[in-house]
Amino acid sequence: QLNRLMKFGYGVFHDIQCDGFNIDHLIVGPAGVYAVETKGRKKIERVDDKGNTKKQYKIVFTNDELYFPSWREKEPLEQARRQAKWASKWLSQACGFDIATKPVLSFPGWYIEYKSKPAVPVLTPNQFESFFTRESAVYNDKQIGQISYQIRQKCENRLID
């Protein structure tokens, strides 16, 4: 789903190795730089009143917390923030101009219900195109090229090491 953003002028990079961790995806385009953390969670099976087994796949987002069918989490949101902060610092130093990388969290296969507006966007893959293409342009083609070059260098250096 993320690769479909290329038709809108976005660079899409996967599995960027950093200082002791990885960033699942970096998206670079006119609307900015995004660090996308993707999480997989096992769906819960519930038995209803009639004895039918049904998988539950809804996450409720409220007050900066993710509520799954039988547990809740905050750490993925904090992880996405940390990774975006690291990418901002690294890319700003490498490119020589300020780059504010925005965190995004994704849960493929889940439905997300929003009870409050998330500070870190929490998306399903079906929401990627509308989310990334509605943002206003902040970088020109030259800047996008510079940022993408630095990310490509990091990815290529990993293959050489």
Side-chain angles (χ1 to χ4, degrees):
Q1 291 284 356
L2 286 171
N3 286 344
R4 292 181 182 179
L5 296 171
M6 290 188 273
K7 68 182 176 185
F8 298 102
Y10 283 83
V12 180
F13 304 91
H14 307 285
D15 191 27
I16 295 82
Q17 297 300 310
C18 306
D19 298 333
F21 65 94
N22 79 303
I23 297 174
D24 291 337
H25 315 281
L26 280 175
I27 311 301
V28 180
V33 179
Y34 300 85
V36 180
E37 177 63 24
T38 303
K39 294 293 184 189
R41 296 291 184 265
K42 186 174 177 161
K43 294 179 177 117
I44 303 298
E45 289 190 4
R46 302 269 186 192
V47 179
D48 66 16
D49 298 344
K50 298 175 183 165
N52 298 318
T53 301
K54 184 177 177 183
K55 285 193 175 186
Q56 296 198 344
Y57 54 92
K58 181 168 81 170
I59 301 167
V60 177
F61 178 89
T62 186
N63 299 326
D64 211 27
E65 204 158 7
L66 302 159
Y67 289 83
F68 291 83
S70 62
W71 75 95
R72 65 184 191 203
E73 296 183 37
K74 286 181 103 166
E75 174 53 27
L77 297 160
E78 294 163 7
Q79 179 184 6
R81 285 184 191 106
R82 283 192 309 270
Q83 291 176 351
K85 184 177 179 181
W86 185 93
S88 292
K89 183 178 177 185
W90 163 58
L91 287 168
S92 294
Q93 289 174 342
C95 294
F97 57 93
D98 286 339
I99 298 169
T101 304
K102 301 167 197 165
V104 174
L105 184 58
S106 179
F107 287 94
W110 286 80
Y111 170 78
I112 301 165
E113 179 182 332
Y114 304 93
K115 298 273 183 164
S116 61
K117 185 176 180 185
V120 172
V122 182
L123 308 173
T124 64
N126 292 337
Q127 296 171 297
F128 289 158
E129 188 174 310
S130 64
F131 175 80
F132 289 105
T133 59
R134 76 169 182 244
E135 300 285 309
S136 300
V138 294
Y139 294 123
N140 61 41
D141 289 342
K142 181 180 177 188
Q143 291 169 315
I144 293 168
Q146 289 175 290
I147 297 165
S148 297
Y149 175 81
Q150 294 301 326
I151 298 169
R152 274 195 303 279
Q153 291 300 306
K154 187 164 207 45
C155 293
E156 289 173 7
N157 287 341
R158 180 188 80 195
L159 297 175
I160 294 170
D161 291 341

